[in-house]
Amino acid sequence: MRIINLIKDVNPIRMGVFTAAINTAPFLYKNHNVTSELWFPGSDYNQDFPSVKTVSLKDTSINHLKELITDCKLDPKSDIIVTHSPWSFQSVWGKYLASQGFKWVFVPHSNLAPWGLSQKWLKKKIYLALVEKRRLRNADVIRALSVPEKEFLQRMFPGKEIIVMPTGINMPPLTIKSVAAEEKIFLFMARLHFVKNVVPLVNGWLTSALQNN
């Protein structure tokens, strides 16, 4: 069995997306003998992907996809297609592969969340209503990364199976050092972006701490 991950590109600026796509690859192979592949158009930017096989696409046409189905011996009985993020060729290929009997899992990576849709909102609203939603309805499963994401995806795709599967990472055991009682340490593990609400979180804690003193 293979997991075929389709992503827009592997530009380092999108590291969060392609890391999420392949971080389960060692576990899947070790425990289930499932191999993972990462398919993307363009350059690999000299990056190393030791846990997966990479396939650099010469273009994103359906004709090229048909060539790959034959050349890579894709089998709808044993290969699963996972597309990461909307708005690009991934949804086109996902829909076509679903029509050929492949199981298709769509991972929006919060791009369809209210905040994501608010960026270039008019263009996205029109394209989502006329094109993208019709394609994505062909997915067998939609993977949400959190419960709030699942809730708005259910409203967007009523009747569609949506599962919550947070992005996980493997970490070595941590050694916690003791700190003075008056010290506070904040550990933030995400990209530095205002949508993560780090500043309101810290401000809220400071306000609470001042009120309690």
Side-chain angles (χ1 to χ4, degrees), residues 175-202:
T175 300
I176 306 299
K177 297 181 179 180
S178 61
V179 296
E182 64 274 11
E183 291 186 53
K184 298 297 178 184
I185 297 176
F186 291 88
L187 176 62
F188 175 67
M189 301 178 67
R191 74 184 189 276
L192 290 173
H193 195 286
F194 72 87
V195 74
K196 300 297 184 181
N197 288 319
V198 179
V199 173
L201 174 65
V202 175

Side-chain angles (χ1 to χ4, degrees), residues 4-10 37-44 53-69 71-72 74 81-83 88-94 97:
I4 309 297
N5 293 281
L6 304 178
I7 68 173
K8 184 176 181 179
D9 59 55
V10 291
E37 298 186 6
L38 190 63
W39 291 21
F40 53 89
S43 172
D44 63 5
K53 175 183 177 181
T54 58
V55 177
S56 180
L57 311 174
K58 68 179 184 181
D59 63 57
T60 57
S61 68
I62 292 296
N63 285 335
H64 183 40
L65 173 57
K66 292 177 180 178
E67 294 173 357
L68 289 169
I69 292 174
D71 295 344
C72 297
L74 294 191
I81 309 303
V82 183
T83 65
S88 192
F89 83 97
Q90 306 96 288
S91 300
V92 179
W93 282 29
L97 288 163

Side-chain angles (χ1 to χ4, degrees), residues 102-169:
F102 289 87
K103 296 299 182 182
W104 174 20
V105 179
F106 166 58
V107 189
H109 291 280
S110 297
N111 280 281
L112 298 180
W115 178 86
L117 293 177
S118 69
Q119 312 303 303
K120 301 178 181 178
W121 68 271
L122 182 58
K123 179 179 179 180
K124 287 183 176 178
K125 182 178 181 179
I126 295 172
Y127 190 79
L128 182 64
L130 298 180
V131 179
E132 194 71 1
K133 282 180 69 173
R134 296 182 181 184
R135 290 173 178 161
L136 296 175
R137 288 193 186 102
N138 292 275
D140 294 279
V141 177
I142 298 178
R143 173 188 169 187
L145 302 181
S146 65
V147 172
E149 184 179 22
K150 177 181 179 180
E151 291 174 349
F152 61 72
L153 286 172
Q154 284 180 324
R155 293 192 294 270
M156 186 176 292
F157 299 98
K160 181 63 65 178
E161 181 179 4
I162 301 171
I163 63 171
V164 176
M165 188 182 300
T167 300
I169 59 172

Side-chain angles (χ1 to χ4, degrees), residues 22-55:
I22 64 176
N23 64 356
T24 56
F27 175 87
L28 290 173
Y29 183 74
K30 179 181 179 181
N31 294 277
H32 303 287
N33 198 33
V34 174
T35 58
S36 299
E37 298 186 6
L38 190 63
W39 291 21
F40 53 89
S43 172
D44 63 5
Y45 298 90
N46 296 316
Q47 297 185 88
D48 185 26
F49 301 96
S51 59
V52 298
K53 175 183 177 181
T54 58
V55 177

